[in-house]
Amino acid sequence: MAAVTDFDRALAPVYHQDRENKYGLVDWLTTVDHKKIGILYGAAGLIYFLIGGLEAVLMRIQLALPDQNIFIGDTFNGLVTMHATTMVFMAIMPMIAAFSNYFVPLMIGARDVAFPRMNAFSWWTFFFGSVLLNSSLIFAEFPAAGWTGYAPLTSKGITPSQGIDFWWAGLTMLAISSMVAGVNFVVTILNMRAPGMTLMRVPVLAWMMLVIQFLLAFSFPPVAVGLILLAFDRTFGTVFYEYTMGGDPHLWQHLFWVFGHPEVYVLILPSMGIVSEILPVFARRPLYGQHAVIFSGIFIGFVGFGVWGHHMFTSGMGPIADAVFASTTAIIAIPTAVKIFNWLGTLWNGKLSFPTAMLFAVSFIPLFTIGGLSGIMHANAPLDLQQHDSYFVVAHFHYVLVGGAIMGLFAGFYFYMPKISGKMMSESLGKIHFWLFAIGMNVTFWPMHDLGNRGMPRRIYTYPADAGWNVDNLLATGGVVLMAIGTLIFVYNLVTSVKGGRDAGRDPWDASTLEWLCDSPPKVHNFDFTPVVYSERPLWDHKYSPDMAISVPTQAEEIHMPSNSWKPMYVSIGILMILVGLLLIGTLPFSWLLSIAGAITIIASLIAWVTEPV
Amino acid sequence: MAKVAQARSPYAVLVRSSAKSLRFCLSPTTRWAGRMLRTIQPIRLPDWYTRQFGLLSPARTGSTSRKSLLSPVLLIAAIIAIAAVAGCSTELAPRDTHATISDSGNISSFFYKMLLYVDIVIGVAVFGFLAVAIVRFRRAAGDDSLPPQNHGDARLELIWTAIPTVIVVVITIPMLVGLFQLAKHPDQNQKIIEIDVTGKQWWWDFTYKSGTANGLQTANEVHVEANTAVVMNMTSSDVIHAWWIPRLTGKRDATPGRTYPLYFTPLEPGIYDGQCAELCGASHAVMGTKLFVHPPAKEVEVEYAGKKYTLDSYETWAREQMASSVAPATPELEKGAKLFRDKTCPACHLVKGLEGAESAGQSVTTGPNLTHVGSRMTIAANTLLNTPQNLAKWIQDPQAVKPGAKMTKIAMTPDEAAAIAAYLTSLK
Amino acid sequence: MSADLAATAPAEMAHDHAHDHAHDHAHDHDHDHDHGHADHGHHAVVENNFMGQPNIKLAMWAFLGSECMFFGSLIGTYFFYHGKALVEPMPDKVFSIGITSISTFLLLMSSLTMALGVDSMKQKKRDMARNYLFLTALLGAAFVGFQVYEFSHFVHLGLKLSTSLFGSTFYVMTGFHGGHVTVGVIWLTILAVLIDKGKLNPVKLPINVEVAGLYWHFVDIVWIVIFTFVYLLEFIQ
Ligand code: HEA
Ligand code: HEA
Ligand code: CUA
Ligand SMILES: [Cu+2]
């Protein structure tokens, strides 16, 4: 049996240009290394998860008892809006970006992404956009129209607050970031695969990342248009959402949900990919029906574009549109079922062990199933007329988002941190985290089904004592305490493990894909030699089927890695200037000069970008 | 509570046809499931049973496998336990979405029950397989042997694609039937109560379009008749709201610039609460509404919030409401009425029959019509009980009751407010 | 945003460099491998460039797909609101097909010069390519000029951004198209200047120009769609 230590013998490649791992401030600001960018995304995602969680905690405090007066009116609505916007766009999305940045190139045996500087540009655009969005609290007040920002509540006449302006400006930057990243990763995954890695040998996580990059690239433009129209309405007096001028508020809903529904699959598919990577490792057998799992992911991506109307059953689209959207929505249960059953098939007959990563991955299955099954209830249009905008929906999407997406991402952290830091995370703390979080999330979100059934609408800051919602709300608030403690333990575990954990070695889990072939943490150039791939489990076959061992070349490769650059950040700053200039129109005279300066910054930095030696 | 006959509701038909199609489609499914079970592997019960309870030799139950033995099982147990605590209380909630009292509401309730059963079956299957797999296929400490390395099975793949497909088809067909039922305008030959509903930040304006009440305007509280079809035309004059009485039927958005209908036939007299269900700004949480379902003929006694109330017949109620406001009968009330005028209340509110308040009729849509405000059960959109104290509190500082309320805060002394409140209370 | 696709070329080149080596090596390696176990000979090492597309071109295709959704949404909005404007002037009052036909013709011609530019670059005729690029940019700029004139003319006729749904949808849709043309003009100009100064890697030049051409043709096609469905349809009615 060949061993992973074989790879220690590989000769380091010969660089054509110096490049080493340095961690000074400038190195972080100018980095184009996919691994460092991944770490930046991950850190930002975690911090925003804490902030979004804190906002949830404040909401739950207000809702713990009936008739409370702690956060009322638009203060509460601002918390709801920023909680969701933060969690969706600034916590889960960057965590997904963290995994795709760090691991997709490793998984497919590449040395970096296709366009490293464009990658840095995506990161900085995300970063400035998220800061811009959150700075609304400092300069104005939180946007308070819900994360769905339905027109005409967002129009200037009804909500003059500048919070909404920060919202559209920030989201526009996040949209640009995601579209560019989408293009970059589509190319990376399609074109940068190691020799021999046919599409069907691409690991499932990388596949799911490929699907979501398409979703990002194609679903963000509609909402970008929606936001642009909103921005024009608010700054230049256009009348897109002005009903007095014939405008139709449904336009926004369509533009938003054409994006919004594919977006929820953007949030879940990576976690499904992570689960598909982890289950086989700890069952010690291949993923059951790998091709079916991949194709069902693609199918979900396609169908996901045709179901957006299920968020609008109560809006009066008419029975025919309702019927079409309801039926297509239900179809998504089929590819999802294929995934669930193949995971069960993977566990069945396996030799299961349960470190923390596996606990999270396994818990994904029942928790996501609960959320999916309530989704199927929503897909029933007549029933959804009752459930829409009630806490039943809140229960549905937290089961898929927290029980699905977040559980999967936690699994990913426990599974992949040893590769990133080279150190193991503590298993005992991990298990405490798991139990607190798993129990807490059920205690919080399960009663919300009941609240919805009992007629409690969502986004309300108070409720009367005699409506029969008291027990459930108190339970829901109690559960958050468990989740919060669990999360803090996780952060502690993560931070301390980076310095103090046990050494991980190349392949701590006896895994099967290429990322476990390189060092932990990987060298700047990832692989000392480009591995050649003969199956979908190259490393496993190296270890367990002697005739498929990856042989280590005896001579060093010659490579060239692109060097650091300031230009991506400059271009992002240019975009930030343009948007800030626009959102200040009407507040600050001549603010449009800032926009012009921004455009000039962009052009100048781009010229420098193209002519820069790399 | 007495059930009114449901002969006219499509409920029974729907149940019967759906049950039939369900049975038809499910019977092959169960047979497939049986075959699928056999293809996988027979469950050797004694083995995992003994392992679970640590009856095996120490060599096979190493400490690592022991420690986390019950974890996932516990998870599922926890879920079920919480479900039991939270989801299964039997007492009827005042706004229960399943104790519906209208034909269209019953359609939604029917689908909830149908899907609940479908979901439970699927859930039990998935959780069951998962639990068995977790318990049965644990890796014993020191066991380095490899499990089967097969990559899947095309036949199984086909089966577990086919089963959900069948389920999806089976649940979609009755759904389409129900969907078109809900969208059907009631028969034009029968008596119909038609009401225009306008959502406003943050109250509801109802204008009756038919029968005795034709032209009547009420705020926040809406009155209909049992067993009479109702057509509501929803619209809004600022942002999107949604009118929702959970015990009646599903919600319908009130969209500015557009009018969308909602059809239902209430079947049971009573008083039902609801509230706006679409985020509409600061006071969305306190944009309540109330529905009174009057008996068709003679008055009945109904229970609401633990108290008994007598409901007149719809016609009686409508006739009373169509009358002009009562003139102030005492000097005290006279003073209140004068203050009401002096404090510019009529700029936004209409009191039919009150001199100086009627002439401002054209701006009546700015604030609720107060002609019979004394007969309301609640004020400020189901937020405060209609007592003189609450009225005075509201009039003095509306924003303290509802953040951002669109009624201007008008300076007045507590005494003045009390006088106005007394006058308004007299407007039965 | 679109310009930096071409802009990344040097980085990309560097990368391909690394990749080329990897490939060479991989083939040797494959050879070694086959010695030991002939039964795996059928595991031929496959070329991984998706459909044979180089990175930068694939990126441009993906980006244009995204742009399709963008303009699809804008044009969709225009049609969603078509005929729903409540305030004069209506489209038939302001459109003048003659002038717009001229500018459309200029834009079409620019696609031709762009194609010629790509072609000359392929034939390594750098100066000729540079000239064609300049010409394309010039035609594009003329198109933008016409649009500026058209806009100011319409404003003169009383159609402002805030006048009606027609004003809002029309200006925003055609404005974003004009913006794309402007970006293209700047891009082509910079490209031509850099070619002139010899600042760009000659090996990668043809593909850079080709990618710029893809973008240009796309923007052109979008205009054809807008012209046909927005202007001509109005004219027919
Ligand atoms: C990760 C995010 C995520 C995911 C994966 C999903 C998945 C699904 N969602 Fe959900 N959804 C949201 C996030 C998500 N949703 C959010 C955030 C909202 C609210 C937005 C807002 O208003 O703010 C929402 C709202 C929402 C609505 C609108 C409700 C309303 O406002 O009225 C609907 C309606 O159809 C819906 C349906 C579905 C369906 C059918 C699925 C399906 O994909 C689920 C498929 C999975 C299963 C069915 C379970 C597993 C399958 C089996 C075990 C096989 C057998 C099953 C059958 C044959 C049924 N969702
Ligand atoms: C990915 C998405 C995501 C995630 C992870 C969560 C996580 C949580 N959500 Fe949220 N939620 C949404 C997406 C998400 N949510 C969306 C889209 C909406 C709809 C919004 C709308 O209507 O517009 C919503 C709405 C929503 C509501 C409904 C509000 C309303 O309608 O009135 C509630 C109510 O309880 C809630 C609660 C929670 C809770 C308790 C968590 C918990 O899981 C959070 C757990 C995390 C923590 C508890 C953090 C722990 C750490 C600390 C507390 C320490 C902080 C320290 C520092 C900052 C230093 N969420
Ligand atoms: Cu009106 Cu919410
Ligand atoms: Cu959806």
Side-chain angles (χ1 to χ4, degrees):
Chain A
M1 185 173 105
V4 277
T5 45
D6 295 352
F7 302 125
D8 293 344
R9 285 189 282 110
L11 294 170
V14 179
Y15 283 114
H16 285 288
Q17 205 165 352
D18 279 341
R19 174 146 153 179
E20 44 185 308
N21 258 336
K22 281 190 282 186
Y23 295 99
L25 180 64
V26 174
D27 300 301
W28 285 108
L29 294 182
T30 59
T31 186
V32 294
D33 177 356
H34 71 100
K35 297 183 288 302
K36 277 189 186 166
I37 293 176
I39 291 172
L40 287 171
Y41 267 121
L46 275 176
I47 291 169
Y48 280 124
F49 180 69
L50 291 181
I51 296 176
L54 186 66
E55 282 151 357
V57 170
L58 299 181
M59 267 159 28
R60 286 311 325 166
I61 290 175
Q62 161 68 18
L63 290 175
L65 301 169
D67 295 322
Q68 292 206 97
N69 279 315
I70 309 167
F71 306 106
I72 63 167
D74 272 346
T75 314
F76 183 87
N77 295 345
L79 285 176
V80 175
T81 308
M82 284 309 290
H83 160 67
T85 310
T86 304
M87 284 298 196
V88 170
F89 296 106
M90 296 176 256
I92 298 197
M93 298 261 295
M95 284 194 217
I96 289 168
F99 283 110
S100 67
N101 263 285
Y102 206 104
F103 288 104
V104 162
L106 295 178
M107 290 184 133
I108 62 174
R111 297 208 194 277
D112 207 324
V113 296
F115 305 103
R117 287 181 299 175
M118 223 159 90
N119 200 24
F121 166 77
S122 289
W123 150 253
W124 286 113
T125 310
F126 159 78
F127 178 75
F128 291 127
S130 68
V131 171
L132 179 64
L133 237 169
N134 278 284
S135 62
S136 59
L137 186 61
I138 302 166
F139 296 112
E141 53 198 323
F142 271 164
W147 84 290
T148 51
Y150 272 17
L153 184 55
T154 47
S155 73
K156 192 111 189 163
I158 285 165
T159 308
S161 156
Q162 284 247 297
I164 303 285
D165 294 318
F166 281 88
W167 188 73
W168 68 247
L171 280 187
T172 305
M173 286 198 82
L174 301 188
I176 294 173
S177 158
S178 292
M179 285 186 277
V180 173
V183 169
N184 197 349
F185 275 85
V186 163
V187 177
T188 304
I189 301 172
L190 286 180
N191 263 13
M192 308 286 287
R193 285 164 287 139
M197 183 174 277
T198 59
L199 278 177
M200 275 303 136
R201 289 177 190 163
V202 170
V204 179
L205 175 54
W207 250 113
M208 294 305 111
M209 291 298 185
L210 177 60
V211 173
I212 71 157
Q213 306 308 335
F214 274 109
L215 295 185
L216 289 176
F218 294 150
S219 74
F220 261 102
V223 81
V225 167
L227 289 165
I228 287 169
L229 305 187
L230 174 64
F232 270 73
D233 267 12
R234 289 184 66 93
T235 36
F236 302 120
T238 51
V239 296
F240 290 105
Y241 305 126
E242 279 309 319
Y243 80 94
T244 46
M245 300 287 283
D248 190 338
H250 283 185
L251 174 66
W252 165 267
Q253 293 183 27
H254 285 293
L255 290 174
F256 182 84
W257 288 119
V258 170
F259 147 80
H261 191 83
E263 168 71 11
V264 306
Y265 294 119
V266 168
L267 299 177
I268 200 68
L269 286 175
S271 288
M272 290 179 159
I274 289 173
V275 170
S276 305
E277 293 298 323
I278 293 179
L279 294 185
V281 168
F282 296 111
R284 293 170 65 74
R285 59 196 298 253
L287 180 65
Y288 209 74
Q290 171 150 0
H291 293 194
V293 172
I294 291 172
F295 280 117
S296 59
I298 299 172
F299 187 72
I300 290 176
F302 268 107
V303 183
F305 270 103
V307 305
W308 76 88
H310 66 218
H311 296 272
M312 298 170 63
F313 287 144
T314 66
S315 72
M317 291 183 298
I320 296 180
D322 285 354
V324 171
F325 285 122
S327 315
T328 47
T329 303
I331 289 174
I332 300 201
I334 300 165
T336 318
V338 169
K339 281 188 190 285
I340 301 259
F341 293 132
N342 276 304
W343 291 327
L344 293 179
T346 309
L347 296 178
W348 204 265
N349 274 336
K351 297 256 185 206
L352 312 181
S353 50
F354 288 92
T356 312
M358 181 67 160
L359 284 179
F360 275 105
V362 167
S363 73
F364 177 100
I365 300 175
L367 296 177
F368 175 77
T369 300
I370 294 177
L373 291 176
S374 55
I376 286 303
M377 289 192 165
H378 292 314
N380 186 298
L383 172 53
D384 189 60
L385 299 182
Q386 283 280 21
Q387 297 180 331
H388 174 72
D389 270 343
S390 78
Y391 260 78
F392 203 95
V393 177
V394 180
H396 156 65
F397 65 70
H398 281 95
Y399 264 93
V400 278
L401 286 169
V402 181
I406 292 283
M407 286 312 220
L409 290 168
F410 276 144
F413 274 108
Y414 284 98
F415 188 62
Y416 285 117
M417 267 318 279
K419 178 55 63 185
I420 297 172
S421 66
K423 309 281 181 180
M424 306 297 286
M425 287 176 71
S426 156
E427 277 295 314
S428 41
L429 286 181
K431 296 221 162 101
I432 297 175
H433 168 211
F434 171 75
W435 286 111
L436 283 173
F437 204 86
I439 296 175
M441 93 128 261
N442 282 288
V443 174
T444 299
F445 300 120
W446 184 270
M448 290 185 185
H449 292 107
D450 191 43
L451 283 175
N453 285 341
R454 285 156 173 260
M456 177 162 167
R458 57 194 280 209
R459 297 159 163 178
I460 56 173
Y461 68 81
T462 189
Y463 54 94
D466 58 6
W469 303 333
N470 303 358
V471 179
D472 286 331
N473 270 309
L474 197 58
L475 266 178
T477 303
V480 187
V481 179
L482 303 184
M483 271 193 281
I485 300 171
T487 308
L488 293 178
I489 291 174
F490 164 71
V491 174
Y492 173 80
N493 191 352
L494 188 79
V495 173
T496 50
S497 79
V498 171
K499 282 259 144 38
R502 228 166 7 94
D503 273 343
R506 276 180 203 279
D507 180 24
W509 309 117
D510 197 2
S512 55
T513 37
L514 285 183
E515 70 272 27
W516 304 102
L517 178 159
C518 41
D519 293 357
S520 308
K523 296 182 179 146
V524 193
H525 53 272
N526 296 349
F527 299 94
D528 281 337
F529 63 96
T530 308
V532 184
V533 176
Y534 294 101
S535 75
E536 69 286 335
R537 293 197 297 169
L539 189 62
W540 180 274
D541 289 335
H542 173 81
K543 291 179 290 190
Y544 290 97
S545 24
D547 55 344
M548 287 176 82
I550 301 173
S551 50
V552 180
T554 45
Q555 85 217 80
E557 276 182 21
E558 291 181 56
I559 58 169
H560 175 118
M561 302 296 289
S563 37
N564 289 1
S565 171
W566 287 99
K567 315 302 179 295
M569 191 212 261
Y570 293 162
V571 180
S572 302
I573 291 177
I575 295 179
L576 182 69
M577 286 159 72
I578 293 185
L579 288 171
V580 170
L582 286 180
L583 83 83
L584 287 180
I585 283 180
T587 314
L588 193 73
F590 298 109
S591 72
W592 48 271
L593 284 175
L594 189 62
S595 302
I596 305 247
I600 294 169
T601 310
I602 292 179
I603 295 174
S605 333
L606 277 179
I607 293 177
W609 179 323
V610 226
T611 47
E612 177 174 61
V614 275
Chain B
M1 242 178 266
K3 278 259 182 269
V4 179
Q6 295 176 358
R8 261 185 294 142
S9 83
Y11 180 67
V13 188
L14 215 59
V15 177
R16 236 178 290 121
S17 60
S18 305
K20 221 188 276 168
S21 55
L22 206 67
R23 215 176 315 123
F24 172 74
C25 296
L26 280 186
S27 63
T29 322
T30 41
R31 250 180 285 132
W32 279 339
R35 225 176 293 150
M36 180 175 96
L37 274 173
R38 279 193 298 279
T39 20
I40 298 177
Q41 219 182 50
I43 299 166
R44 283 176 295 129
L45 198 80
D47 193 324
W48 68 262
Y49 187 79
T50 44
R51 190 141 28 112
Q52 164 137 5
F53 290 95
L55 299 178
L56 288 183
S57 63
R60 286 200 60 189
T61 49
S63 58
T64 50
S65 108
R66 228 328 195 358
K67 230 188 338 188
S68 54
L69 188 65
L70 283 175
S71 351
V73 184
L74 269 176
L75 168 67
I76 294 161
I79 294 172
I80 296 170
I82 298 164
V85 174
C88 301
S89 43
T90 46
E91 127 264 6
L92 178 77
R95 305 187 188 187
D96 204 303
T97 50
H98 304 310
T100 41
I101 54 107
S102 78
D103 57 347
S104 39
N106 287 344
I107 292 180
S108 302
S109 311
F110 162 74
F111 283 118
Y112 180 74
K113 286 195 205 90
M114 177 185 108
L115 286 169
L116 189 64
Y117 295 137
V118 173
D119 279 4
I120 286 175
V121 170
I122 297 171
V124 166
V126 171
F127 283 42
F129 272 115
L130 183 63
V132 172
I134 286 170
V135 174
R136 181 154 142 45
F137 296 108
R138 271 166 185 281
R139 174 185 182 182
D143 176 3
D144 273 339
S145 66
L146 290 183
Q149 298 292 311
N150 59 324
H151 287 256
D153 178 337
R155 200 161 35 131
L156 274 181
E157 217 67 62
L158 206 68
I159 292 173
W160 59 46
T161 313
I163 296 176
T165 309
V166 171
I167 300 179
V168 163
V169 171
V170 168
I171 60 179
T172 303
I173 292 165
M175 182 261 287
L176 296 177
V177 177
L179 190 57
F180 284 92
Q181 281 282 355
L182 285 173
K184 218 159 68 191
H185 194 285
D187 186 358
Q188 296 284 5
N189 298 324
Q190 70 188 51
K191 178 177 167 192
I192 295 176
I193 295 179
E194 192 169 350
I195 303 172
D196 286 351
V197 183
T198 310
K200 293 170 190 230
Q201 284 181 324
W202 287 276
W203 59 285
W204 295 96
D205 194 354
F206 301 100
T207 308
Y208 299 70
K209 297 304 239 191
S210 57
T212 322
N214 195 354
L216 176 68
Q217 195 185 22
T218 64
N220 302 320
E221 298 181 354
V222 62
H223 298 250
V224 295
E225 185 181 78
N227 292 326
T228 303
V230 180
V231 175
M232 283 191 159
N233 305 310
M234 299 280 170
T235 188
S236 160
S237 64
D238 37 46
V239 301
I240 304 177
H241 306 269
W243 190 75
W244 187 32
I245 305 274
R247 290 206 50 198
L248 177 73
T249 183
K251 56 194 73 61
R252 168 67 71 209
D253 284 5
T255 312
R258 301 282 177 276
T259 303
Y260 297 112
L262 175 68
Y263 311 119
F264 57 87
T265 304
L267 301 170
E268 211 171 293
I271 304 170
Y272 307 99
D273 285 311
Q275 80 192 72
C276 175
E278 182 63 64
L279 180 62
C280 53
S283 271
H284 159 67
V286 279
M287 179 166 168
T289 180
K290 236 187 186 62
L291 172 79
F292 293 77
V293 180
H294 291 268
K298 57 177 192 300
E299 62 191 40
V300 297
E301 196 164 72
V302 298
E303 202 182 289
Y304 170 77
K307 286 204 210 86
K308 294 253 189 281
Y309 291 85
T310 309
L311 281 181
D312 290 338
S313 77
Y314 178 75
E315 291 297 329
T316 317
W317 170 83
R319 262 194 306 278
E320 280 171 11
Q321 294 285 315
M322 289 300 283
S324 287
S325 67
V326 286
T330 66
E332 282 303 297
L333 296 182
E334 193 73 64
K335 188 179 143 217
K338 185 175 172 331
L339 274 167
F340 183 80
R341 262 191 311 254
D342 293 350
K343 297 285 179 191
T344 68
C345 313
C348 305
H349 294 288
L350 177 81
V351 177
K352 209 166 123 191
L354 179 69
E355 202 183 316
E358 215 179 5
S359 55
Q362 65 274 25
S363 62
V364 72
T365 48
T366 323
N369 183 326
L370 297 180
T371 309
H372 293 282
V373 69
S375 69
R376 300 267 171 81
M377 217 163 137
T378 57
I379 54 162
N382 212 11
T383 307
L384 298 171
L385 273 182
N386 190 2
T387 63
Q389 293 82 2
N390 280 342
L391 267 173
K393 176 174 155 195
W394 166 257
I395 295 166
Q396 286 177 83
D397 192 354
Q399 285 74 22
V401 178
K402 293 170 80 161
K406 300 288 179 198
M407 168 162 153
T408 27
K409 184 178 170 181
I410 294 167
M412 63 179 77
T413 65
D415 284 346
E416 288 171 335
I420 298 178
Y423 167 65
L424 291 179
T425 308
S426 78
L427 299 177
K428 294 288 184 199
Chain C
M1 194 192 356
S2 21
D4 64 354
L5 286 171
T8 6
E12 201 246 339
M13 197 212 80
H15 203 91
D16 268 16
H17 190 51
H19 215 70
D20 288 346
H21 276 276
H23 268 260
D24 295 343
H25 190 88
H27 285 285
D28 297 343
H29 180 77
D30 188 36
H31 213 71
D32 289 346
H33 202 87
D34 276 355
H35 270 297
H37 7 267
D39 53 338
H40 278 286
H42 62 274
H43 288 297
V45 174
V46 279
E47 182 55 52
N48 278 323
N49 273 10
F50 187 71
M51 304 186 2
Q53 297 291 319
N55 284 357
I56 190 161
K57 223 163 130 189
L58 197 62
M60 186 38 91
W61 280 115
F63 172 72
L64 293 183
S66 185
E67 287 278 80
C68 278
M69 295 297 288
F70 184 83
F71 279 107
S73 305
L74 279 175
I75 297 173
T77 301
Y78 183 86
F79 280 102
F80 190 73
Y81 281 152
H82 184 76
K84 292 194 184 157
L86 302 177
V87 184
E88 290 286 326
M90 297 301 165
D92 51 336
K93 289 266 163 50
V94 294
F95 285 162
S96 95
I97 294 295
I99 291 179
T100 318
S101 300
I102 297 174
S103 69
T104 306
F105 178 74
L106 290 181
L107 200 61
L108 278 176
M109 284 303 105
S110 78
S111 253
L112 179 66
T113 54
M114 187 73 233
L116 290 171
V118 172
D119 204 50
S120 357
M121 202 66 236
K122 277 205 186 117
Q123 296 167 15
K124 305 251 155 48
K125 299 183 191 149
R126 283 234 316 244
D127 289 351
M128 193 124 112
R130 177 204 58 201
N131 294 346
Y132 276 126
L133 290 191
F134 270 129
L135 191 56
T136 311
L138 207 66
L139 287 167
F143 174 84
V144 175
F146 266 96
Q147 193 170 34
V148 170
Y149 165 77
E150 187 184 43
F151 279 16
S152 60
H153 179 63
F154 287 2
V155 170
H156 190 71
L157 290 176
L159 185 72
K160 292 205 289 283
L161 253 180
S162 52
T163 304
S164 67
L165 282 177
F166 170 55
S168 297
T169 48
F170 174 79
Y171 283 123
V172 170
M173 175 182 62
T174 50
F176 267 93
H177 178 265
H180 274 73
V181 178
T182 313
V183 166
V185 168
I186 297 173
W187 181 0
L188 293 179
T189 315
I190 294 175
L191 200 59
V193 171
L194 291 180
I195 291 175
D196 192 51
K197 297 237 160 96
K199 289 258 179 166
L200 291 176
N201 183 316
V203 183
K204 284 284 164 177
L205 254 184
I207 186 111
N208 271 345
V209 175
E210 196 182 340
V211 163
L214 278 179
Y215 174 83
W216 192 260
H217 294 314
F218 170 80
V219 172
D220 208 5
I221 291 169
V222 170
W223 182 254
I224 301 295
V225 172
I226 293 179
F227 183 69
T228 330
F229 287 105
V230 174
Y231 289 81
L232 284 187
L233 223 58
E234 216 63 57
F235 185 62
I236 291 164
Q237 284 165 4

